Amino acid sequence: QEAECAYILFVVATFWLTEALPLSVTALLPALMLPMFGIMPSKKVASAYFKDFHLLLTGVICLATSIEKWNLHKRIALRMVMMVGVNPAWLTLGFMSSTAFLSMWLSNTSTTAMVMPIMEAVAQQIISAEAEVEATQMTYISGSTNYGLETDENVNEHETSERKEKTKPVPGYSNDAGKISSKMELEKNSGTGNKYRTKKDHMMCKLMCLCVAYSSTIGGLTTITGTSTNLIFAEHFNMRYPDCHCINFGSWFLMSFPAAIIILLLSWIWLQWLFLGFNFKEMAQCGKTATAKQKACAEVIKQEYQKLGPIKYQEIVTLVLFIVMALLWFTRDPGFVSGWSVLFSEYPGFATDSTVALLVGLLFFLIPANRLTKTIPTGETVAFDYSPLITWKEFQSFMPWDIAILVGGGFALADGCEESGLSKWIGNKLSPLGSLPVWLIILISSLLVTSLTEVASNPATITLLLPILSPLAEAIQVNPLYILLPSTLCNSFAFLLPVANPPNAIVFSYGHLKVTDMVKAGLGVNIVGVAVVMLGMFTWIVPMFDLHTYPSWAPAVSNETMP
């Protein structure tokens, strides 16, 4: 049975890596093959496809649907960018901070798709303003109008406005059309040589694109709900080690937030140095008089913010529910103090993060957003119904059913590895690795995951490796979190290629970047990410989970299986 399950694992892994079939379709193969090979009955396999994870995902998507429907995400992003000022370096950090914050609660893909049109408008406004300043200076020096520069300026302004129109997102719809139009327009302009006035303009566009893509990925590290890989890990870990109650929203945030902040700042410094140079003197001028270019940049951000109008009732309610959900997650079982879960001490482990997500998620269908009115024969207008914050159709359009099925397939595969004995067999074969230093094992597993996730989808990679890494940790008598935590975090470090993850593909479609640009920049961010995770595993994370001791909640390994 071990060999039969290994064959199923090999087939599913091959299809996931090559994407010969859609990932979610491949995830259904365990439901077909495990019963056929006599490893698990069909009813037991089917139960693996819907877990606590799916309820948590449902509640989170309710929140994300309301945030995007009422444009709260755009208001938060623009406000955060306005707070940091218009100095180019600080502006880039502002975009990275706002994108990372939004990515903590929304999917990385939707965050990138929302921020990129704003970033593109700002970048093109900067280029246009610079052209206008140069033309004005030339006119002043020569004492006459330079018609050549005026023509260039008009062309640039026309292209800027046209590009902005084509990349302008339509509320409630995907921005794919805008991105494709933008790409076509930029390719057309590059053929005439009018795409960028200077090399610095081009480098600035590259920098801002990569900052948005990378910060959306980095922000997703900080919360369990930030990326699907974090959720997959949490569900796998809680299923395999039910007696360990150490992984929840609060503990994950305390563990990953410092790492994400360090990675974000170091990535900002690396990208800034790589494309524009790190000019400390220019950065220190944040309180001095802004240049014409910086004023134009501030103006376009201000205009975008003013278009949103005053904050609406629906946004306020969504923000309140968002804060309530986050607070309930943090305070359920913080670890350092008793949380509200002690109120249900008779039923330990019954209330989880998914309980909170569902409770708040249901409120989005109950709280009215607008009153529906009609005029009766007497001429009086009366309310006869209301529309909630979100509708079921809107929720369905946001719900990533493919991820839900993909995760279910991973759980089924993990159950099959346990039932067949394959996990135990792999653990026994890997036990000689116990002779290596722990830091080297962590480094090897982290680099393996980081390399594999560049060519395979993040959820598929983590789903494939968790059933292998868990028995490895048990076999060498190392706290499973020592290996699983860095592997899970490094699984998100898909920075090298446009196809590595959706945010990379979105920013690449805008036409500013080449693959070599992304490889060069992404390699540095990958190194920074792995180094910071390694640092965290041997500093602040160790006392949080007592990583130096083999825990009682992990299965005891007999002497025969020890190295």
Side-chain angles (χ1 to χ4, degrees):
Q1 277 200 325
E2 293 94 326
E4 291 171 343
C5 189
Y7 171 72
I8 296 172
L9 185 64
F10 174 77
V11 170
V12 173
T14 302
F15 275 64
W16 268 339
L17 291 173
T18 59
E19 296 192 37
L21 288 174
L23 294 176
S24 51
V25 175
T26 300
L28 295 173
L29 289 179
L32 172 68
M33 300 179 74
L34 288 173
M36 285 179 61
F37 281 89
I39 296 173
M40 290 175 66
S42 184
K43 285 185 178 180
K44 194 170 183 180
V45 178
S47 66
Y49 278 83
F50 200 91
K51 298 283 187 182
D52 189 56
F53 157 85
H54 296 85
L55 298 178
L56 177 59
L57 184 65
T58 300
V60 170
I61 296 303
C62 289
L63 171 64
T65 304
S66 185
I67 287 176
E68 294 201 28
K69 176 181 178 180
W70 302 110
N71 265 336
L72 180 60
H73 58 323
K74 191 171 183 180
R75 186 180 296 278
I76 293 172
L78 290 172
R79 171 55 67 181
M80 291 186 71
V81 172
M82 289 169 66
M83 287 171 61
V84 299
V86 294
N87 181 287
W90 295 115
L91 180 65
T92 303
L93 182 61
F95 267 113
M96 291 186 75
S97 303
S98 58
T99 304
F101 175 77
L102 290 172
S103 187
M104 291 167 61
W105 316 103
L106 305 176
S107 75
N108 302 350
T109 306
S110 60
T111 301
T112 306
M114 183 276 297
V115 175
M116 271 305 295
I118 302 172
M119 189 284 301
E120 180 74 4
V122 171
Q124 297 306 325
Q125 188 69 16
I126 291 174
I127 294 173
S128 176
E130 191 173 52
E132 184 177 342
V133 170
E134 288 180 6
T136 304
Q137 289 174 346
M138 290 298 293
T139 302
Y140 177 78
I141 292 170
S142 63
S144 60
T145 303
N146 187 317
Y147 294 101
L149 282 175
E150 275 197 338
T151 303
D152 287 344
E153 181 188 342
N154 291 337
V155 169
N156 276 324
E157 287 178 353
H158 171 70
E159 289 170 354
T160 299
S161 61
E162 187 176 355
R163 193 180 293 115
K164 283 168 66 178
E165 284 298 320
K166 295 193 176 188
T167 58
K168 189 176 181 180
V170 179
Y173 293 89
S174 170
N175 199 38
D176 291 342
K179 288 177 287 194
I180 294 169
S181 300
S182 173
K183 182 179 177 182
M184 292 172 61
E185 180 69 10
L186 290 170
E187 287 175 350
K188 181 179 75 174
N189 291 343
S190 63
T192 61
N194 290 330
K195 187 174 178 182
Y196 311 103
R197 290 180 58 83
T198 63
K199 183 180 179 181
K200 185 179 179 181
D201 289 340
H202 192 186
M203 290 297 175
M204 181 190 65
C205 291
K206 289 180 179 182
L207 169 65
M208 296 181 80
C209 283
L210 289 174
C211 282
V212 171
Y214 292 168
S215 58
S216 70
T217 300
I218 295 168
L221 298 174
T222 54
T223 59
I224 279 188
T225 58
T227 65
S228 56
T229 56
N230 296 354
L231 285 167
I232 294 169
F233 160 77
E235 184 66 21
H236 171 87
F237 186 84
N238 291 330
M239 286 175 57
R240 189 176 182 92
Y241 308 108
D243 295 331
C244 176
H245 303 292
C246 52
I247 296 296
N248 54 53
F249 191 92
S251 64
W252 182 276
F253 184 83
L254 292 175
M255 178 269 298
S256 60
F257 185 72
I261 291 294
I262 297 171
I263 295 171
L264 190 74
L265 291 175
L266 292 179
S267 300
W268 169 60
I269 293 172
W270 160 248
L271 293 173
Q272 187 74 25
W273 176 83
L274 185 64
F275 290 103
L276 292 180
F278 209 77
N279 190 332
F280 288 98
K281 184 179 179 181
E282 182 180 317
M283 289 180 59
Q285 295 177 346
C286 55
K288 298 184 179 180
T289 305
T291 64
K293 182 170 69 172
Q294 293 170 358
K295 288 179 180 177
C297 176
E299 186 61 29
V300 72
I301 295 174
K302 186 178 179 181
Q303 288 174 0
E304 289 289 326
Y305 188 80
Q306 288 174 343
K307 287 179 184 176
L308 296 174
I311 189 167
K312 299 185 288 290
Y313 155 78
Q314 295 88 343
E315 293 179 77
I316 294 173
V317 174
T318 300
L319 182 61
V320 169
L321 292 177
F322 165 63
I323 294 172
V324 168
M325 182 183 283
L327 287 176
L328 288 175
W329 273 335
F330 276 114
T331 57
R332 181 177 68 85
D333 188 14
F336 52 90
V337 293
S338 298
W340 57 262
S341 59
V342 296
L343 299 175
F344 307 95
S345 54
E346 295 181 15
Y347 312 103
F350 279 37
T352 64
D353 287 338
S354 63
T355 310
V356 173
L358 279 180
L359 172 65
V360 178
L362 289 174
L363 294 178
F364 287 102
F365 293 97
L366 295 175
I367 297 176
N370 295 305
R371 289 193 306 169
L372 303 179
T373 60
K374 64 179 180 179
T375 303
I376 58 177
T378 59
E380 185 181 357
T381 302
V382 295
F384 69 96
D385 202 353
Y386 72 90
S387 61
L389 286 170
I390 61 173
T391 64
W392 179 251
K393 284 188 176 181
E394 289 166 344
F395 167 80
Q396 280 188 310
S397 66
F398 276 86
M399 181 67 181
W401 298 108
D402 53 340
I403 294 295
I405 296 174
L406 174 64
V407 173
F411 294 153
L413 205 56
D415 289 349
C417 290
E418 284 296 313
E419 289 285 333
S420 66
L422 179 62
S423 292
K424 188 176 180 181
W425 182 86
I426 291 173
N428 293 340
K429 295 300 179 184
L430 293 175
S431 60
L433 290 175
S435 59
L436 297 175
V438 175
W439 69 266
L440 187 58
I441 297 174
I442 296 173
L443 180 61
I444 291 172
S445 61
S446 298
L447 292 176
L448 172 66
V449 171
T450 305
S451 302
L452 189 58
T453 197
E454 297 290 351
V455 294
S457 80
N458 298 359
T461 302
I462 198 68
T463 303
L464 193 63
L465 291 179
L466 284 177
I468 298 173
L469 295 175
S470 297
L472 164 63
E474 296 162 11
I476 63 178
Q477 290 285 279
V478 170
N479 190 319
L481 288 171
Y482 231 146
I483 294 178
L484 298 183
L485 282 178
S487 299
T488 302
L489 292 172
C490 289
N491 187 72
S492 295
F493 297 158
F495 299 123
L496 287 181
L497 301 171
V499 297
N501 63 21
N504 291 6
I506 289 173
V507 301
F508 191 79
S509 71
Y510 275 75
H512 299 299
L513 294 163
K514 294 179 181 178
V515 175
T516 52
D517 296 323
M518 196 166 276
V519 170
K520 184 167 57 174
L523 184 61
V525 179
N526 269 346
I527 293 172
V528 166
V530 174
V532 172
V533 169
M534 290 290 293
L535 173 67
M537 292 309 300
F538 293 96
T539 51
W540 71 84
I541 299 178
V542 172
M544 287 182 61
F545 302 107
D546 193 18
L547 295 181
H548 287 322
T549 58
Y550 190 75
S552 59
W553 45 259
V557 182
S558 61
N559 292 330
E560 290 78 12
T561 63
M562 289 296 293

